Amino acid sequence: MSADTINLTADPNRVPHPAVTGDKPPLEILLCAPRGFCAGVVRAIDVVERALAIYGAPVYVRHEIVHNKYVVETLKRKGAVFVRELDEVPDSGAPVIFSAHGVAKTVPQNAVSRGLTTIDATCPLVTKVHREAEIHHKRGRHVLLVGHSGHPEVVGTMGQLPKGSITLVEDIDQIEALNPPAEQALAWVTQTTLSIDDTKHIVEALKAKFPAIHGPHKDDICYATTNRQEAVKEVAPRVDALIVVGSSNSSNSQRLREVAERAGCPITRLVLRAEEIDWDAFKDVRRLGLTAGASAPEVLVEEIIDAFAARFDVTVDQVSVTIEDMSFPLPRELRSEAAE
């Protein structure tokens, strides 16, 4: 496979079977399923590639379209230009795409004021959280957002409401310091890529301190985050080590590593490519767990399996906790019938 190809078509339920030579130490790999790309990430990458096909290069993308350096570098080679802010986008008529993490309301407003063509690749499940926050605000509730400070998704969600209308809660200790007026109605929403267990404890603490607090009708943590964490919980206690394929700035990938640690796996590593593996740490491993964050392509999982197969007699078994069939349509302006 070419390094310039993002593997969107690889089946994450396929179990590769590297050749066994007999002259290397044995290694059983337990491959977590589901793993890798979620529907929101597939949609976001499709948005960039479809925009390149329609408008030609360059197209501009505000922030990383998804948190994976391999994906970003591949899209750069195809003609995508990644910028931090809109003032880096020239008045050339080229479109600007908003990343899957979502943006504050001021960003598209500023784009409109400049006459820029914009395409919104925000994951629909993040948009759901935005809408929930807006509804709570319209109903007079102060919104508490459970999430990580500085994460683009958190910045975007907080930017949906007027300043002072939403408060970030990162841990249980911060709940103790919350002291809203007695008459102030409250509501909570969450970042979509959090640890299921950590979030559960924070929400329980919020409900204990504020019994009348309003929450979402359905949990905000996305299906893909939940499924990948459940698969890791199943595999981590059964292996000597576990690797999460993903970028260090990927929240859902970091949470997978933490879930593995808490499940009792003695060696856990987050790596983007096989070249990052510390082989000394794995020399005595005989059973390895392997998963991938929601923004990591399957080609990188295959690369790491191949790297282990060069050093071990590898067999691969898949551990599946559910089957995913979620998909999201492209933005209207990029659908075939609208673009042609």
Side-chain angles (χ1 to χ4, degrees):
M1 176 173 294
S2 167
D4 292 327
T5 301
I6 298 178
N7 190 352
L8 291 178
T9 59
D11 180 4
N13 294 310
R14 182 184 69 83
V15 181
H17 292 282
V20 177
T21 65
D23 60 353
K24 307 168 189 173
L27 178 69
E28 180 183 9
I29 295 178
L30 297 187
L31 198 56
C32 296
R35 66 183 177 276
F37 280 174
C38 64
V41 166
V42 171
R43 177 180 182 269
I45 294 171
D46 283 351
V47 164
V48 178
E49 295 191 326
R50 180 68 175 152
L52 284 165
I54 294 170
Y55 297 98
V59 299
Y60 292 86
V61 185
R62 184 182 179 275
H63 293 181
E64 292 185 346
I65 187 68
V66 297
H67 280 160
N68 188 275
K69 293 177 182 177
Y70 177 90
V71 171
V72 168
E73 291 301 319
T74 302
L75 291 174
K76 281 182 180 179
R77 290 191 289 271
K78 294 183 176 184
V81 178
F82 292 84
V83 299
R84 291 189 59 82
E85 300 299 341
L86 291 182
D87 58 14
E88 300 173 52
V89 179
D91 295 321
S92 62
V96 58
I97 298 169
F98 302 141
S99 79
H101 309 103
V103 296
K105 280 188 172 181
T106 55
V107 175
Q109 290 169 355
N110 292 339
V112 169
S113 70
R114 285 188 52 196
L116 297 175
T117 298
T118 63
I119 303 169
D120 189 0
T122 301
C123 175
L125 299 181
V126 174
T127 300
K128 165 185 172 288
V129 178
H130 291 180
R131 299 293 174 264
E132 289 170 350
E134 289 178 318
I135 290 170
H136 289 310
H137 176 65
K138 289 177 181 178
R139 293 177 178 174
R141 300 164 186 159
H142 185 86
V143 177
L144 303 177
L145 169 61
V146 181
H148 295 139
S149 177
H151 189 278
E153 183 184 329
V154 167
V155 173
T157 300
M158 295 190 73
Q160 302 305 303
L161 302 184
K163 189 173 182 180
S165 301
I166 184 168
T167 299
L168 179 64
V169 176
E170 295 189 82
D171 54 45
I172 290 177
D173 291 340
Q174 290 180 328
I175 297 173
E176 296 300 318
L178 294 174
N179 190 27
E183 68 277 8
Q184 176 67 69
L186 300 174
W188 60 271
V189 296
T190 80
Q191 184 179 334
T192 63
T193 55
L194 299 178
S195 161
I196 302 167
D197 296 330
D198 286 349
T199 305
K200 178 182 178 182
H201 295 320
I202 292 173
V203 169
E204 287 174 348
L206 284 172
K207 291 178 177 178
K209 184 167 183 178
F210 308 111
I213 194 169
H214 297 265
H217 295 297
K218 185 178 180 181
D219 285 349
D220 291 333
I221 296 177
C222 84
Y223 78 96
T225 298
T226 300
N227 291 344
R228 281 148 189 73
Q229 290 182 20
E230 291 299 327
V232 167
K233 287 180 183 179
E234 178 68 25
V235 167
R238 300 162 52 182
V239 295
D240 305 315
L242 187 139
I243 288 177
V244 179
V245 183
S247 290
S248 59
N249 62 340
S250 165
S251 175
N252 76 84
S253 298
Q254 289 284 8
R255 303 294 81 76
L256 290 173
R257 181 185 56 79
E258 292 170 0
V259 167
E261 288 178 346
R262 292 175 184 175
C265 185
I267 301 171
T268 61
R269 296 289 188 273
L270 173 62
V271 301
L272 177 63
R273 304 292 300 267
E275 63 192 23
E276 297 178 4
I277 296 173
D278 175 9
W279 291 107
D280 286 342
F282 294 92
K283 61 184 179 181
D284 296 322
V285 169
R286 293 298 172 261
R287 181 178 276 186
L288 173 72
L290 183 59
T291 189
S295 50
E298 184 69 8
V299 64
L300 299 186
V301 175
E302 295 169 359
E303 175 185 283
I304 286 175
I305 292 174
D306 289 344
F308 274 95
R311 295 164 173 82
F312 296 86
D313 279 343
V314 168
T315 57
V316 181
D317 295 305
Q318 184 158 261
V319 178
S320 179
V321 297
T322 190
I323 301 296
E324 292 180 349
D325 57 4
M326 181 76 73
S327 63
F328 298 127
L330 289 171
R332 186 176 300 277
E333 62 267 36
L334 295 182
R335 298 175 199 170
S336 297
E337 61 272 21
E340 293 174 354

